[in-house]
């Protein structure tokens, strides 16, 4: 890797240029790796310009964690309060499974940055919202499709910028800013 300031060859892992004293930033390291085609997807995701994608994907996952926690909590409370009829038990089990699915989608979204997960979250949320509307006569559960739509926007943006880098070998300006 070379210093961005003076062009001197730097030692691997150097924090300062020995010639000019310039601080080697993570952006400089990323640009250097990008020029040689060695930037990984994980390093690309950590670029300064990707902060918006990181924050929004994490926000969608947090929304799913919240919905999961509330669903599981409601399931546990219902189990404690409801009589032991078979139908109530099945509804409580389905509610608990719903919470577990939301938790799994949140984890997959946050750690996998998956476009497929984002699409599944939107579809799952819409189906649940429609079923709740048919059952209760009012629209409920709109946070899940909201998180899914939001996740679609930012996972696709991340993968689009990554694909631009892979095709051209140059960092997109939007990923570096």
């Amino acid at each position: 890797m070379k210093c961005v300031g003076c062009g001197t060859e730097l030692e691997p892992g150097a924090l300062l240029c020995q010639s000019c004293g310039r601080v080697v930033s993570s952006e400089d390291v990323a640009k250097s790796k990008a020029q040689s085609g060695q930037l990984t997807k994980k390093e690309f995701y950590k670029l300064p310009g990707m902060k918006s994608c990181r924050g929004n994907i994490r926000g969608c996952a947090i929304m799913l964690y919240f919905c999961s926690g509330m669903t599981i909590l409601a399931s546990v409370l219902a189990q404690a309060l409801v009589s032991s009829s078979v139908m109530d038990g099945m509804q409580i089990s389905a509610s608990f499974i719903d919470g577990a699915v939301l938790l799994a989608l949140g984890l997959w979204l946050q750690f996998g940055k998956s476009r497929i997960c984002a699409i599944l979250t939107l579809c799952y949320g819409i189906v649940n919202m429609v079923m709740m509307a048919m059952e209760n006569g009012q629209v409920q559960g709109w946070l899940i499709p909201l998180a899914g739509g939001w996740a679609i926007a930012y996972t696709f943006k991340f993968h689009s910028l990554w694909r631009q880098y892979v095709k051209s070998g140059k960092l997109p300006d939007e990923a570096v800013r």
Side-chain angles (χ1 to χ4, degrees), residues 11-67:
E11 296 289 323
L15 299 176
L16 292 172
C17 175
Q18 295 173 345
S19 296
C20 69
R22 177 182 163 88
V23 174
V24 179
S25 69
S26 60
E27 185 178 325
D28 294 339
V29 173
K31 284 181 181 179
S32 176
K33 282 187 170 186
Q35 289 172 348
S36 63
Q38 297 175 342
L39 193 64
T40 65
K41 199 172 195 178
K42 189 174 184 177
E43 291 168 327
F44 183 84
Y45 189 66
K46 291 181 180 178
L47 289 172
M50 299 308 296
K51 184 177 181 180
S52 168
C53 285
R54 282 192 310 271
N56 283 294
I57 290 171
R58 188 179 319 114
C60 293
I62 289 169
M63 198 179 301
L64 291 174
Y65 299 149
F66 173 77
C67 291

